[in-house]
Amino acid sequence: MVLAAVIALVTGTALAPDGMDRGFVISVDAVLAGALASYALLAGEQHRPARLPG
């Protein structure tokens, strides 16, 4: 998930339009990538049982 956040940031920066909107697009992309990375790091690894008993 953190790797997906990094890929999203790099892709958003590479595809940002030229001109006066470039900084805004990159900053929004950075905030969203940071939120995704934070979610991934805070969620941690969830262990699920292989099968239910019974």
Side-chain angles (χ1 to χ4, degrees):
M1 208 51 143
V2 175
L3 181 60
V6 171
I7 291 171
L9 179 62
V10 170
T11 303
T13 303
L15 297 177
D18 291 335
M20 63 183 228
D21 292 336
R22 183 171 177 80
F24 175 73
V25 170
I26 291 174
S27 64
V28 169
D29 187 50
V31 168
L32 292 176
L36 180 61
S38 298
Y39 175 76
L41 293 174
L42 290 174
E45 178 127 4
Q46 300 293 322
H47 296 287
R48 296 181 185 165
R51 61 178 188 184
L52 296 174

